[in-house]
Amino acid sequence: MSNDTLNQEPSVTQTTTVGVGTYARILIKQAFEQKLALSNEDIAAKVVAKFKEHGVEVKTSAAAIAWYKNDMRKKGQLPKGAGAGAKSIAVDLESIEL
């Protein structure tokens, strides 16, 4: 090995194999951290598209994404309450009229 080879910065690419659920959870976490207003349908479509890029046909749904989000909240991986991009207002509960 030459000195030039030893002085070069190593090229490191970190890859791992993940399934549908793990990939969905990664997208959910990133969407929340980046405050992206992605619907469950949007996330499900991104999961299906990513696997399709790799020649793998998968099925997932908005309901499955909702389940992953609830599970992540239970485990403390997402805060409880409003999701990323959710709209909310402050209201006086005693003054609400039906």
Side-chain angles (χ1 to χ4, degrees):
M1 231 184 251
S2 70
N3 282 340
D4 290 336
T5 304
L6 291 174
N7 292 329
Q8 292 176 352
E9 287 291 319
S11 174
V12 177
T13 302
Q14 185 176 6
T15 61
T16 188
T17 302
V18 296
V20 172
T22 301
Y23 189 72
R25 290 170 191 267
I26 290 168
L27 289 181
I28 292 165
K29 185 86 169 158
Q30 287 179 349
F32 182 81
E33 289 171 351
Q34 296 174 23
K35 297 184 176 165
L36 301 175
L38 294 177
S39 68
N40 293 345
E41 291 86 4
D42 293 336
I43 293 171
K46 287 181 177 292
V47 171
V48 170
K50 179 54 94 175
F51 277 78
K52 191 172 187 174
E53 282 178 25
H54 294 275
V56 179
E57 294 293 324
V58 297
K59 293 182 181 180
T60 193
S61 65
I65 300 302
W67 186 90
Y68 290 129
K69 285 181 179 179
N70 286 333
D71 189 56
M72 291 171 75
R73 285 186 185 101
K74 287 178 189 174
K75 294 177 178 176
Q77 297 168 342
L78 286 179
K80 294 184 179 180
K87 295 181 173 134
S88 60
I89 59 170
V91 295
D92 178 5
L93 297 177
E94 294 179 7
S95 67
I96 294 176
E97 295 180 26
L98 299 176

